[in-house]
Amino acid sequence: MSVLQTLPVEQMKSIVSKLAAVKSRQDLEAALTIYHADGELLSPPVLSRAKGHAALRNSLATFFRFAPDYEVDLHGQAADGETLCSWGEIRFTPAYSFRGDPPNGKRIRTPVFILFRFRDEKVFWESFHFDLADVARQAGLPAEAFQHTG
């Protein structure tokens, strides 16, 4: 059984920068090659958690349908042991809300910070954080409209 890795900081940054680029192209297959098969993707603001290859595939496919023009720019990265923290800005136009309320169609821009851990030189754990209230305000909806509840 492999354990979490403390990789050289430049290698962590390279893996995460590649993941950011493929997610900004909505390239599901390329993104899945960067995640560990037993990886976990959390997005606490929207109450989302995916663990394992099948769940990661489903979660990313859902996200790309939700945000078909998603882009992320990472402005900085720093590591502490086995964890890399990246921060920057995300931009996207919500195609729908998880509650069914129609968003106003405006493109969202909001800060983001993302934590990563690695196993076998792949992303094993990702926790994706942004200001949900800011996203909701820009989309003209309450924050609860963007949370997975089922």
Side-chain angles (χ1 to χ4, degrees):
M1 178 179 160
S2 55
V3 295
L4 290 176
Q5 286 178 296
T6 301
L7 298 173
V9 174
E10 290 309 313
Q11 187 176 5
M12 287 189 231
K13 288 179 178 182
S14 176
I15 293 167
V16 167
S17 294
K18 183 176 177 185
L19 182 61
V22 300
K23 282 185 172 181
S24 290
R25 294 193 314 262
Q26 292 78 44
D27 188 339
L28 176 61
E29 297 307 319
L32 288 170
T33 68
I34 298 168
Y35 284 102
H36 191 279
D38 297 323
E40 184 171 18
L41 172 58
L42 306 169
S43 186
V46 295
L47 308 175
S48 175
R49 178 180 181 264
K51 185 169 176 64
H53 187 79
L56 285 167
R57 175 181 290 282
N58 183 56
S59 180
L60 290 169
T62 298
F63 179 71
F64 293 150
R65 283 190 303 274
F66 167 73
D69 61 349
Y70 172 81
E71 294 177 304
V72 60
D73 286 321
L74 300 178
H75 301 153
Q77 297 175 304
D80 183 19
E82 64 196 22
T83 303
L84 180 75
C85 180
S86 298
W87 58 90
E89 180 183 75
I90 56 174
R91 295 175 303 283
F92 64 96
T93 309
Y96 56 86
S97 75
F98 299 112
R99 195 170 75 174
D101 309 63
N104 61 16
K106 294 182 179 176
R107 187 156 169 86
I108 306 293
R109 297 176 71 113
T110 198
V112 65
F113 80 90
I114 315 162
L115 302 173
F116 298 92
R117 293 190 179 138
F118 305 86
R119 182 182 285 177
D120 302 329
E121 300 182 3
K122 294 185 178 274
V123 172
F124 181 73
W125 180 84
E126 176 182 347
S127 190
F128 187 87
H129 300 265
F130 59 93
D131 184 344
L132 182 62
D134 184 46
V135 168
R137 179 189 55 75
Q138 291 181 59
L141 294 173
E144 296 79 16
F146 292 106
Q147 293 182 316
H148 290 279
T149 56

